[in-house]
Amino acid sequence: MIDSFKEVAVIGAGTMGNGIAHVFAQTGYHVNLIDISQDALDKALATIAKNMDRQIKKGGLTEEKKAEALARLNPMTDLAAGVSDRKLVVEAATENVDLKLKIFEQIDAAAPADAILASNTSSISITKIAAVTNRPEKVIGMHFMNPVPIMKLVEVILGYDTTDEVRDAVLEISKDLGKVPVPANDYPGFVANRILMPMINEAIYTHYEGVAGVEEIDTIMKLGMAHPMGPLTLADFIGLDVCLAILNVLYEGFGNPKYAPCPLLVNMVTAGHLGRKTGKGFYDYSK
Ligand code: NAD
């Protein structure tokens, strides 16, 4: 644990926020976990405890260490109070530009002037988020991967004004969490999604144009490219609404038709078939 950043806040206790809070608490950081929904906070703590039990079963954690980590987690709903004494704030709230800009204005007003403000956004410009604060040089992307306790990568996104000091501090903190941080500049989709989403979109087009079925496409990519899962399985896992939103960011950000989302993806999202989370996407998860 890096002493100068011992006190952190995580905003948003959903899928990503609970995973981020989990790894910080387990590494020795004191975490204010903040959400507008008490229900989300209750669920997050239950999920963290359950995931730690799984680590204990695998021999990666002890009951004692679990209890210590859980004691370092402080769930709360008051954002201003939760960030007021923090040196690092990691925002992982819902992926919505207007919401994130509002949250960053609030964090900027309430957090200490020297605090680093990070966002876990998958696709929103860090430079745009930084521009609503009075400290754009201290705003940075910490793009964790799902599931956070397991996935090693943190894509560290450097906004237009992010300083080298802030970059280095975030690289060091990420390594301290047991992750492998990789820096990238702030352009649409950063690196991970700029490369992944066109591949997923092309897989959807391949199916849409009748070249091959869903399972055939996934099997070809899995066995042929040694990918752990096929692109359509992965799209269902990520959420088809999330894939569509990121493709739209690429399409609008570059103004290049090669990123235009496949009409089949648009239709599936409109119909509410979003993948695993709704029980139906390219595959049926209802059974
Ligand atoms: P989620 O919907 O599971 O959780 C979002 C949480 O934010 C909810 O609990 C919601 O109550 C809370 N929230 C909304 N408004 C808030 C506010 N004003 N203050 C505090 N909390 C608020 O979403 P998620 O999948 O965890 O995604 C969070 C962020 O992580 C997004 O920016 C997303 O792009 C990014 N991300 C997601 C994934 C993924 O695979 N899910 C991967 C990498 C990055």
Side-chain angles (χ1 to χ4, degrees), residues 11-17 34-37 40 92-95 99-100 103 120-122 143-144 146:
I11 297 177
T15 310
M16 296 303 286
I34 303 159
D35 203 291
I36 38 164
S37 152
T94 313
E95 184 81 342
L99 174 72
K100 293 222 194 260
I103 290 176
N120 183 54
T121 178
S122 310
H143 185 202
F144 290 87
N146 183 17

PDB file of all heavy atoms in Angstrom, residues 11-17 34-37 40 92-95 99-100 103 120-122 143-144 146, ligand 1:
ATOM      1  N   ILE A  11     -16.453   5.849  -6.494  1.00  0.00           N
ATOM      2  CA  ILE A  11     -17.821   6.327  -6.712  1.00  0.00           C
ATOM      3  C   ILE A  11     -18.546   5.417  -7.693  1.00  0.00           C
ATOM      4  O   ILE A  11     -18.075   5.204  -8.821  1.00  0.00           O
ATOM      5  CB  ILE A  11     -17.801   7.776  -7.222  1.00  0.00           C
ATOM      6  CG1 ILE A  11     -17.174   8.653  -6.133  1.00  0.00           C
ATOM      7  CG2 ILE A  11     -19.219   8.259  -7.567  1.00  0.00           C
ATOM      8  CD1 ILE A  11     -17.015  10.081  -6.504  1.00  0.00           C
ATOM      9  N   GLY A  12     -19.678   4.872  -7.247  1.00  0.00           N
ATOM     10  CA  GLY A  12     -20.400   3.877  -8.042  1.00  0.00           C
ATOM     11  C   GLY A  12     -20.045   2.509  -7.493  1.00  0.00           C
ATOM     12  O   GLY A  12     -18.863   2.153  -7.428  1.00  0.00           O
ATOM     13  N   ALA A  13     -21.066   1.770  -7.059  1.00  0.00           N
ATOM     14  CA  ALA A  13     -20.806   0.466  -6.420  1.00  0.00           C
ATOM     15  C   ALA A  13     -21.383  -0.669  -7.258  1.00  0.00           C
ATOM     16  O   ALA A  13     -21.735  -1.718  -6.749  1.00  0.00           O
ATOM     17  CB  ALA A  13     -21.397   0.460  -5.016  1.00  0.00           C
ATOM     18  N   GLY A  14     -21.473  -0.460  -8.573  1.00  0.00           N
ATOM     19  CA  GLY A  14     -22.012  -1.494  -9.475  1.00  0.00           C
ATOM     20  C   GLY A  14     -20.955  -2.534  -9.805  1.00  0.00           C
ATOM     21  O   GLY A  14     -20.015  -2.755  -9.037  1.00  0.00           O
ATOM     22  N   THR A  15     -21.091  -3.154 -10.962  1.00  0.00           N
ATOM     23  CA  THR A  15     -20.192  -4.230 -11.407  1.00  0.00           C
ATOM     24  C   THR A  15     -18.725  -3.846 -11.206  1.00  0.00           C
ATOM     25  O   THR A  15     -17.959  -4.589 -10.607  1.00  0.00           O
ATOM     26  CB  THR A  15     -20.414  -4.487 -12.915  1.00  0.00           C
ATOM     27  OG1 THR A  15     -21.811  -4.641 -13.139  1.00  0.00           O
ATOM     28  CG2 THR A  15     -19.675  -5.703 -13.386  1.00  0.00           C
ATOM     29  N   MET A  16     -18.344  -2.699 -11.723  1.00  0.00           N
ATOM     30  CA  MET A  16     -16.936  -2.304 -11.697  1.00  0.00           C
ATOM     31  C   MET A  16     -16.538  -1.706 -10.346  1.00  0.00           C
ATOM     32  O   MET A  16     -15.466  -2.006  -9.813  1.00  0.00           O
ATOM     33  CB  MET A  16     -16.645  -1.293 -12.809  1.00  0.00           C
ATOM     34  CG  MET A  16     -16.843  -1.845 -14.191  1.00  0.00           C
ATOM     35  SD  MET A  16     -15.856  -3.318 -14.519  1.00  0.00           S
ATOM     36  CE  MET A  16     -14.236  -2.608 -14.714  1.00  0.00           C
ATOM     37  N   GLY A  17     -17.405  -0.845  -9.790  1.00  0.00           N
ATOM     38  CA  GLY A  17     -17.085  -0.167  -8.533  1.00  0.00           C
ATOM     39  C   GLY A  17     -16.835  -1.153  -7.413  1.00  0.00           C
ATOM     40  O   GLY A  17     -15.891  -0.987  -6.633  1.00  0.00           O
ATOM     41  N   ILE A  34     -18.954   4.908  -2.508  1.00  0.00           N
ATOM     42  CA  ILE A  34     -20.082   5.845  -2.557  1.00  0.00           C
ATOM     43  C   ILE A  34     -21.035   5.505  -3.704  1.00  0.00           C
ATOM     44  O   ILE A  34     -20.600   5.288  -4.839  1.00  0.00           O
ATOM     45  CB  ILE A  34     -19.538   7.282  -2.766  1.00  0.00           C
ATOM     46  CG1 ILE A  34     -18.544   7.629  -1.655  1.00  0.00           C
ATOM     47  CG2 ILE A  34     -20.678   8.295  -2.820  1.00  0.00           C
ATOM     48  CD1 ILE A  34     -17.594   8.754  -2.007  1.00  0.00           C
ATOM     49  N   ASP A  35     -22.326   5.451  -3.396  1.00  0.00           N
ATOM     50  CA  ASP A  35     -23.332   5.250  -4.452  1.00  0.00           C
ATOM     51  C   ASP A  35     -24.590   6.014  -4.047  1.00  0.00           C
ATOM     52  O   ASP A  35     -24.834   6.225  -2.865  1.00  0.00           O
ATOM     53  CB  ASP A  35     -23.643   3.753  -4.628  1.00  0.00           C
ATOM     54  CG  ASP A  35     -24.219   3.429  -6.003  1.00  0.00           C
ATOM     55  OD1 ASP A  35     -25.378   3.833  -6.273  1.00  0.00           O
ATOM     56  OD2 ASP A  35     -23.520   2.777  -6.806  1.00  0.00           O
ATOM     57  N   ILE A  36     -25.381   6.434  -5.029  1.00  0.00           N
ATOM     58  CA  ILE A  36     -26.650   7.101  -4.696  1.00  0.00           C
ATOM     59  C   ILE A  36     -27.670   6.081  -4.189  1.00  0.00           C
ATOM     60  O   ILE A  36     -28.642   6.450  -3.555  1.00  0.00           O
ATOM     61  CB  ILE A  36     -27.291   7.846  -5.907  1.00  0.00           C
ATOM     62  CG1 ILE A  36     -27.094   7.034  -7.192  1.00  0.00           C
ATOM     63  CG2 ILE A  36     -26.762   9.249  -6.072  1.00  0.00           C
ATOM     64  CD1 ILE A  36     -27.989   7.488  -8.310  1.00  0.00           C
ATOM     65  N   SER A  37     -27.424   4.814  -4.501  1.00  0.00           N
ATOM     66  CA  SER A  37     -28.398   3.778  -4.134  1.00  0.00           C
ATOM     67  C   SER A  37     -27.877   2.932  -2.964  1.00  0.00           C
ATOM     68  O   SER A  37     -26.832   2.287  -3.068  1.00  0.00           O
ATOM     69  CB  SER A  37     -28.648   2.898  -5.368  1.00  0.00           C
ATOM     70  OG  SER A  37     -29.007   1.601  -5.002  1.00  0.00           O
ATOM     71  N   ALA A  40     -27.607  -0.637  -3.987  1.00  0.00           N
ATOM     72  CA  ALA A  40     -26.376  -0.972  -4.725  1.00  0.00           C
ATOM     73  C   ALA A  40     -25.212  -1.184  -3.751  1.00  0.00           C
ATOM     74  O   ALA A  40     -24.388  -2.090  -3.940  1.00  0.00           O
ATOM     75  CB  ALA A  40     -26.043   0.145  -5.720  1.00  0.00           C
ATOM     76  N   ALA A  92     -16.596   5.235 -10.893  1.00  0.00           N
ATOM     77  CA  ALA A  92     -17.066   4.096 -11.704  1.00  0.00           C
ATOM     78  C   ALA A  92     -18.591   4.090 -11.707  1.00  0.00           C
ATOM     79  O   ALA A  92     -19.228   3.059 -11.462  1.00  0.00           O
ATOM     80  CB  ALA A  92     -16.502   2.790 -11.162  1.00  0.00           C
ATOM     81  N   ALA A  93     -19.180   5.260 -11.938  1.00  0.00           N
ATOM     82  CA  ALA A  93     -20.647   5.357 -12.000  1.00  0.00           C
ATOM     83  C   ALA A  93     -21.108   5.030 -13.414  1.00  0.00           C
ATOM     84  O   ALA A  93     -20.291   4.811 -14.322  1.00  0.00           O
ATOM     85  CB  ALA A  93     -21.099   6.757 -11.590  1.00  0.00           C
ATOM     86  N   THR A  94     -22.400   5.017 -13.586  1.00  0.00           N
ATOM     87  CA  THR A  94     -23.043   4.679 -14.867  1.00  0.00           C
ATOM     88  C   THR A  94     -22.405   5.429 -16.047  1.00  0.00           C
ATOM     89  O   THR A  94     -22.076   6.611 -15.922  1.00  0.00           O
ATOM     90  CB  THR A  94     -24.542   5.060 -14.762  1.00  0.00           C
ATOM     91  OG1 THR A  94     -25.032   4.556 -13.514  1.00  0.00           O
ATOM     92  CG2 THR A  94     -25.344   4.488 -15.896  1.00  0.00           C
ATOM     93  N   GLU A  95     -22.253   4.720 -17.174  1.00  0.00           N
ATOM     94  CA  GLU A  95     -21.609   5.312 -18.369  1.00  0.00           C
ATOM     95  C   GLU A  95     -22.575   6.268 -19.076  1.00  0.00           C
ATOM     96  O   GLU A  95     -23.324   5.871 -19.971  1.00  0.00           O
ATOM     97  CB  GLU A  95     -21.163   4.175 -19.307  1.00  0.00           C
ATOM     98  CG  GLU A  95     -20.392   4.627 -20.531  1.00  0.00           C
ATOM     99  CD  GLU A  95     -18.931   4.902 -20.244  1.00  0.00           C
ATOM    100  OE1 GLU A  95     -18.540   5.074 -19.081  1.00  0.00           O
ATOM    101  OE2 GLU A  95     -18.158   4.952 -21.222  1.00  0.00           O
ATOM    102  N   LEU A  99     -24.047  12.659 -16.755  1.00  0.00           N
ATOM    103  CA  LEU A  99     -23.922  12.235 -15.355  1.00  0.00           C
ATOM    104  C   LEU A  99     -22.470  12.357 -14.890  1.00  0.00           C
ATOM    105  O   LEU A  99     -22.182  12.894 -13.824  1.00  0.00           O
ATOM    106  CB  LEU A  99     -24.405  10.786 -15.198  1.00  0.00           C
ATOM    107  CG  LEU A  99     -24.197  10.192 -13.808  1.00  0.00           C
ATOM    108  CD1 LEU A  99     -25.167  10.798 -12.805  1.00  0.00           C
ATOM    109  CD2 LEU A  99     -24.363   8.679 -13.832  1.00  0.00           C
ATOM    110  N   LYS A 100     -21.539  11.883 -15.719  1.00  0.00           N
ATOM    111  CA  LYS A 100     -20.127  11.918 -15.302  1.00  0.00           C
ATOM    112  C   LYS A 100     -19.634  13.361 -15.150  1.00  0.00           C
ATOM    113  O   LYS A 100     -18.896  13.670 -14.211  1.00  0.00           O
ATOM    114  CB  LYS A 100     -19.234  11.166 -16.300  1.00  0.00           C
ATOM    115  CG  LYS A 100     -19.501   9.683 -16.312  1.00  0.00           C
ATOM    116  CD  LYS A 100     -18.226   8.874 -16.379  1.00  0.00           C
ATOM    117  CE  LYS A 100     -18.513   7.424 -16.743  1.00  0.00           C
ATOM    118  NZ  LYS A 100     -18.536   6.488 -15.628  1.00  0.00           N
ATOM    119  N   ILE A 103     -20.934  14.605 -11.874  1.00  0.00           N
ATOM    120  CA  ILE A 103     -20.220  13.978 -10.748  1.00  0.00           C
ATOM    121  C   ILE A 103     -18.830  14.601 -10.594  1.00  0.00           C
ATOM    122  O   ILE A 103     -18.389  14.889  -9.485  1.00  0.00           O
ATOM    123  CB  ILE A 103     -20.122  12.441 -10.938  1.00  0.00           C
ATOM    124  CG1 ILE A 103     -21.508  11.802 -10.784  1.00  0.00           C
ATOM    125  CG2 ILE A 103     -19.137  11.823  -9.965  1.00  0.00           C
ATOM    126  CD1 ILE A 103     -21.533  10.293 -11.044  1.00  0.00           C
ATOM    127  N   ASN A 120     -13.159   5.476 -14.498  1.00  0.00           N
ATOM    128  CA  ASN A 120     -13.064   4.129 -15.079  1.00  0.00           C
ATOM    129  C   ASN A 120     -13.847   4.028 -16.388  1.00  0.00           C
ATOM    130  O   ASN A 120     -14.087   2.933 -16.906  1.00  0.00           O
ATOM    131  CB  ASN A 120     -13.617   3.123 -14.049  1.00  0.00           C
ATOM    132  CG  ASN A 120     -13.509   1.688 -14.496  1.00  0.00           C
ATOM    133  OD1 ASN A 120     -12.432   1.237 -14.851  1.00  0.00           O
ATOM    134  ND2 ASN A 120     -14.611   0.969 -14.500  1.00  0.00           N
ATOM    135  N   THR A 121     -14.212   5.175 -16.956  1.00  0.00           N
ATOM    136  CA  THR A 121     -15.035   5.144 -18.181  1.00  0.00           C
ATOM    137  C   THR A 121     -14.444   4.253 -19.280  1.00  0.00           C
ATOM    138  O   THR A 121     -13.230   4.205 -19.470  1.00  0.00           O
ATOM    139  CB  THR A 121     -15.231   6.571 -18.744  1.00  0.00           C
ATOM    140  OG1 THR A 121     -15.995   6.472 -19.945  1.00  0.00           O
ATOM    141  CG2 THR A 121     -13.928   7.278 -19.046  1.00  0.00           C
ATOM    142  N   SER A 122     -15.344   3.579 -20.021  1.00  0.00           N
ATOM    143  CA  SER A 122     -14.900   2.726 -21.132  1.00  0.00           C
ATOM    144  C   SER A 122     -14.703   3.533 -22.397  1.00  0.00           C
ATOM    145  O   SER A 122     -14.034   3.077 -23.317  1.00  0.00           O
ATOM    146  CB  SER A 122     -15.962   1.673 -21.467  1.00  0.00           C
ATOM    147  OG  SER A 122     -16.387   1.015 -20.343  1.00  0.00           O
ATOM    148  N   HIS A 143      -8.788   2.610 -16.438  1.00  0.00           N
ATOM    149  CA  HIS A 143      -9.758   1.725 -17.081  1.00  0.00           C
ATOM    150  C   HIS A 143      -9.458   0.285 -16.674  1.00  0.00           C
ATOM    151  O   HIS A 143      -8.641  -0.396 -17.290  1.00  0.00           O
ATOM    152  CB  HIS A 143      -9.683   1.927 -18.599  1.00  0.00           C
ATOM    153  CG  HIS A 143     -10.713   1.174 -19.364  1.00  0.00           C
ATOM    154  ND1 HIS A 143     -10.574   0.854 -20.695  1.00  0.00           N
ATOM    155  CD2 HIS A 143     -11.924   0.668 -19.006  1.00  0.00           C
ATOM    156  CE1 HIS A 143     -11.634   0.184 -21.107  1.00  0.00           C
ATOM    157  NE2 HIS A 143     -12.463   0.064 -20.102  1.00  0.00           N
ATOM    158  N   PHE A 144     -10.140  -0.138 -15.591  1.00  0.00           N
ATOM    159  CA  PHE A 144     -10.015  -1.522 -15.124  1.00  0.00           C
ATOM    160  C   PHE A 144     -10.840  -2.424 -16.039  1.00  0.00           C
ATOM    161  O   PHE A 144     -11.759  -1.975 -16.716  1.00  0.00           O
ATOM    162  CB  PHE A 144     -10.564  -1.653 -13.694  1.00  0.00           C
ATOM    163  CG  PHE A 144      -9.723  -0.996 -12.636  1.00  0.00           C
ATOM    164  CD1 PHE A 144      -9.894   0.349 -12.326  1.00  0.00           C
ATOM    165  CD2 PHE A 144      -8.780  -1.725 -11.923  1.00  0.00           C
ATOM    166  CE1 PHE A 144      -9.132   0.958 -11.332  1.00  0.00           C
ATOM    167  CE2 PHE A 144      -8.023  -1.126 -10.926  1.00  0.00           C
ATOM    168  CZ  PHE A 144      -8.190   0.223 -10.632  1.00  0.00           C
ATOM    169  N   ASN A 146     -13.194  -6.076 -16.498  1.00  0.00           N
ATOM    170  CA  ASN A 146     -14.175  -6.864 -15.762  1.00  0.00           C
ATOM    171  C   ASN A 146     -13.886  -8.365 -15.929  1.00  0.00           C
ATOM    172  O   ASN A 146     -13.718  -8.797 -17.066  1.00  0.00           O
ATOM    173  CB  ASN A 146     -15.559  -6.521 -16.353  1.00  0.00           C
ATOM    174  CG  ASN A 146     -16.701  -7.197 -15.668  1.00  0.00           C
ATOM    175  OD1 ASN A 146     -16.564  -7.689 -14.563  1.00  0.00           O
ATOM    176  ND2 ASN A 146     -17.847  -7.231 -16.336  1.00  0.00           N
TER     177      ASN A 146
HETATM  178  P1  NAD B   1     -23.215  -0.413 -13.189  1.00  0.00           P
HETATM  179  O1  NAD B   1     -24.498   0.002 -13.812  1.00  0.00           O
HETATM  180  O2  NAD B   1     -23.059  -1.844 -12.764  1.00  0.00           O
HETATM  181  O3  NAD B   1     -22.947   0.492 -11.884  1.00  0.00           O
HETATM  182  C1  NAD B   1     -23.047   1.879 -11.881  1.00  0.00           C
HETATM  183  C2  NAD B   1     -23.359   2.368 -10.475  1.00  0.00           C
HETATM  184  O4  NAD B   1     -23.267   3.799 -10.459  1.00  0.00           O
HETATM  185  C3  NAD B   1     -24.766   1.998  -9.981  1.00  0.00           C
HETATM  186  O5  NAD B   1     -24.694   1.288  -8.757  1.00  0.00           O
HETATM  187  C4  NAD B   1     -25.438   3.371  -9.810  1.00  0.00           C
HETATM  188  O6  NAD B   1     -26.346   3.401  -8.707  1.00  0.00           O
HETATM  189  C5  NAD B   1     -24.235   4.256  -9.541  1.00  0.00           C
HETATM  190  N1  NAD B   1     -24.487   5.684  -9.745  1.00  0.00           N
HETATM  191  C6  NAD B   1     -25.245   6.292 -10.695  1.00  0.00           C
HETATM  192  N2  NAD B   1     -25.231   7.620 -10.511  1.00  0.00           N
HETATM  193  C7  NAD B   1     -24.454   7.885  -9.442  1.00  0.00           C
HETATM  194  C8  NAD B   1     -24.075   9.070  -8.744  1.00  0.00           C
HETATM  195  N3  NAD B   1     -24.503  10.267  -9.137  1.00  0.00           N
HETATM  196  N4  NAD B   1     -23.276   8.951  -7.664  1.00  0.00           N
HETATM  197  C9  NAD B   1     -22.852   7.747  -7.253  1.00  0.00           C
HETATM  198  N5  NAD B   1     -23.185   6.577  -7.863  1.00  0.00           N
HETATM  199  C10 NAD B   1     -23.977   6.641  -8.941  1.00  0.00           C
HETATM  200  O7  NAD B   1     -22.079   0.010 -14.205  1.00  0.00           O
HETATM  201  P2  NAD B   1     -20.614  -0.653 -14.413  1.00  0.00           P
HETATM  202  O8  NAD B   1     -20.713  -1.735 -15.414  1.00  0.00           O
HETATM  203  O9  NAD B   1     -20.009  -0.928 -13.078  1.00  0.00           O
HETATM  204  O10 NAD B   1     -19.856   0.555 -15.127  1.00  0.00           O
HETATM  205  C11 NAD B   1     -19.312   1.625 -14.392  1.00  0.00           C
HETATM  206  C12 NAD B   1     -18.260   2.319 -15.221  1.00  0.00           C
HETATM  207  O11 NAD B   1     -17.229   1.381 -15.543  1.00  0.00           O
HETATM  208  C13 NAD B   1     -18.761   2.874 -16.549  1.00  0.00           C
HETATM  209  O12 NAD B   1     -18.113   4.085 -16.814  1.00  0.00           O
HETATM  210  C14 NAD B   1     -18.348   1.797 -17.548  1.00  0.00           C
HETATM  211  O13 NAD B   1     -18.140   2.321 -18.850  1.00  0.00           O
HETATM  212  C15 NAD B   1     -17.026   1.362 -16.952  1.00  0.00           C
HETATM  213  N6  NAD B   1     -16.575   0.007 -17.326  1.00  0.00           N
HETATM  214  C16 NAD B   1     -17.450  -1.040 -17.347  1.00  0.00           C
HETATM  215  C17 NAD B   1     -16.996  -2.312 -17.684  1.00  0.00           C
HETATM  216  C18 NAD B   1     -17.921  -3.508 -17.671  1.00  0.00           C
HETATM  217  O14 NAD B   1     -17.547  -4.554 -18.209  1.00  0.00           O
HETATM  218  N7  NAD B   1     -19.093  -3.413 -17.034  1.00  0.00           N
HETATM  219  C19 NAD B   1     -15.632  -2.506 -17.999  1.00  0.00           C
HETATM  220  C20 NAD B   1     -14.757  -1.416 -17.945  1.00  0.00           C
HETATM  221  C21 NAD B   1     -15.241  -0.164 -17.613  1.00  0.00           C
END
